Amino acid sequence: MVISLSTIYDIAKRAGVSPATVSRALNNQNLVKEETRKKIHKIAEEMNYSPNFLARSLVKKQTNTIALIISDITNPFFTTVARGVEDTASQKGFNTIFCNTDENIEKEKQYVNLMLQRRVDGIIIASCGSGNNLGDIRNRNFPLVLVDRAFPGNNDGWDSVVGDSEEGAFLLTKHLIEVHHHQKIAIISGPPVLSTSQDRVRGYLRALRDYNIKENPEWIILGEFKENFGYQLALKFFQNSSNKPTAIFAGNNFIAIGIIRAAREMDIEIPRDLALVTFDDLEMASYTCPFLTVAKQPAYTMGSMATEFLLQRISGEKIREKRIVVLKPEIIIRKSCGCSQ
Ligand code: RIB
């Protein structure tokens, strides 16, 4: 159906009433005779009338639109977060605009500014920075909720819904030590600025300390949550014949895939020659080939809760305390750690 550019003035002219009467009739308000209301609705339908979204937003001072800013829309973790956001927002009559930053802070800044210009009512963000670029939003008291990644100094008053990366990393590393008796464990994780990268290193180190295993700084690598980063680092580890790890904790699913690619090229068999654990399940793959031992974050719930918090802020609900929610990951033991399924 083609939406015409007719206005309420065109409908008023054809119906022989005032624009105010047309507006009341189309918004099913009272004070319009039933016969007149039906006549106006019939003319609007004949003219393919659609309300002017921008004009209506200016009057209501709300666009019923929120933005979700994430760093990698191709990652199943983030697509699941996005699904939780969109389902929850649309149930409450809100539209969602998705922005993909690719872990690029300049792109994030551009998207934040663009969303403010587009007058979205609020933003949910998995930031790829440390929060310094959000000063303007902080000063405006604009509705914003952090998802997946928190900022140092407790988010500056913003609500946040994140996964417990420290606990998940601790449990995965503990499993490698306690069940499979690994002592030479490396970690390859994401950008050092991110709370998820830092917390996964903290959990990994806590497990080493609990079992009196001395950390090897050469085996603690932070960089990118990308497949090629895992691939390059794994090749480096494997080619260092003198002293190489017997197990790797990959900071996320894409890094783990890169490690698997490098192992295949080097004829290294996982888990016989190298044990592997990671964050974020590759659910579809695990249905066909249940292989990766993972810490699976409740990504859908993260997105859904963040949206509930944001919509409460947008509605003007008086919420004094900021909400900081940390959701436990599910540890799924499969074959890549050395367990036989
Ligand atoms: O895959 C991207 C990673 O960054 C996920 O583990 C998520 O926690 C995010 O921080």
Side-chain angles (χ1 to χ4, degrees):
M1 178 184 91
V2 174
I3 293 176
S4 75
L5 294 179
S6 310
T7 67
I8 59 169
Y9 300 98
D10 301 319
I11 298 170
K13 195 171 172 193
R14 191 180 290 188
V17 298
S18 72
T21 302
V22 172
S23 176
R24 280 198 296 273
L26 293 180
N27 288 300
N28 295 320
Q29 290 170 1
N30 301 329
L31 306 176
V32 179
K33 276 190 241 151
E34 185 55 18
E35 184 192 345
T36 309
R37 197 185 65 76
K38 279 184 181 163
K39 179 180 168 189
I40 289 169
H41 274 269
K42 187 169 178 297
I43 293 171
E45 196 176 328
E46 287 164 1
M47 297 176 86
N48 285 331
Y49 168 76
S50 170
N52 178 322
F53 175 79
L54 283 179
R56 174 173 283 197
S57 306
L58 287 172
V59 170
K60 286 172 56 184
K61 292 187 175 40
Q62 186 167 312
T63 58
N64 276 41
T65 304
I66 62 172
L68 171 63
I69 302 178
I70 47 182
S71 65
D72 187 350
I73 197 79
T74 65
N75 192 308
F77 167 79
F78 281 119
T79 45
T80 308
V81 169
R83 187 66 208 243
V85 170
E86 204 279 329
D87 282 352
T88 308
S90 56
Q91 282 160 14
K92 301 285 176 68
F94 279 75
N95 303 307
T96 306
I97 297 175
F98 297 116
C99 306
N100 184 67
T101 63
D102 201 23
E103 304 287 7
N104 177 317
I105 194 65
E106 289 311 315
K107 221 176 156 188
E108 179 175 307
K109 288 176 186 171
Q110 286 162 17
Y111 269 131
V112 168
N113 290 332
L114 181 65
M115 291 303 107
L116 293 175
Q117 289 161 19
R118 293 289 172 90
R119 296 290 185 274
V120 297
D121 299 322
I123 292 176
I124 297 170
I125 186 168
S127 176
C128 59
S130 60
N132 296 335
N133 58 304
L134 298 175
D136 186 27
I137 286 201
R138 190 179 293 112
N139 301 335
R140 293 185 189 194
N141 201 19
F142 179 81
L144 180 138
V145 174
L146 303 176
V147 70
D148 173 55
R149 297 153 182 196
F151 294 135
N154 243 351
N155 309 333
D156 289 319
W158 286 316
D159 297 326
S160 62
V161 184
V162 301
D164 192 342
S165 284
E166 200 275 351
E167 179 67 9
F170 170 76
L171 294 173
L172 285 174
T173 311
K174 177 171 180 270
H175 179 79
L176 288 172
I177 299 168
E178 197 169 76
V179 175
H180 301 287
H181 312 300
H182 287 284
Q183 300 268 318
K184 300 167 77 174
I185 305 170
I187 179 170
I188 301 176
S189 194
V193 71
L194 302 181
S195 60
T196 44
S197 305
Q198 296 162 14
D199 291 346
R200 288 169 201 175
V201 171
R202 264 196 279 275
Y204 156 85
L205 290 173
R206 179 160 64 97
L208 295 189
R209 276 197 297 275
D210 278 9
Y211 287 85
N212 300 315
I213 297 172
K214 189 170 172 12
E215 67 197 66
N216 177 348
E218 289 172 13
W219 291 347
I220 302 173
I221 313 284
L222 295 177
E224 296 181 297
F225 278 130
K226 298 280 184 194
E227 188 272 349
N228 189 49
F229 183 71
Y231 171 74
Q232 297 297 342
L233 264 296
L235 283 183
K236 206 171 138 204
F237 280 152
F238 301 154
Q239 286 154 0
N240 173 4
S241 53
S242 61
N243 180 23
K244 51 187 161 197
T246 60
I248 299 180
F249 166 24
N252 84 322
N253 47 14
F254 283 4
I255 291 174
I257 293 168
I259 293 166
I260 292 168
R261 177 162 67 103
R264 284 234 174 97
E265 281 184 17
M266 302 291 286
D267 288 330
I268 289 169
E269 194 179 316
I270 295 174
R272 186 197 64 195
D273 308 323
L274 174 84
L276 178 64
V277 296
T278 187
F279 254 74
D280 303 332
D281 205 5
L282 290 162
E283 222 151 340
M284 292 302 174
S286 63
Y287 293 147
T288 52
C289 169
F291 176 67
L292 274 176
T293 290
V294 298
K296 179 181 177 183
Q297 302 189 83
Y300 186 92
T301 306
M302 244 186 243
S304 180
M305 281 184 86
T307 309
E308 293 285 358
F309 288 175
L310 185 70
L311 297 183
Q312 286 165 2
R313 296 278 179 197
I314 290 169
S315 68
E317 271 186 54
K318 289 280 168 273
I319 301 153
R320 249 180 287 281
E321 292 303 308
K322 68 182 169 191
R323 279 80 57 99
I324 297 178
V325 174
V326 182
L327 299 170
K328 294 281 181 218
E330 176 194 359
I331 302 299
I332 304 175
I333 302 296
R334 297 194 181 105
K335 298 175 186 169
S336 66
C337 57
C339 287
S340 55
Q341 286 293 302

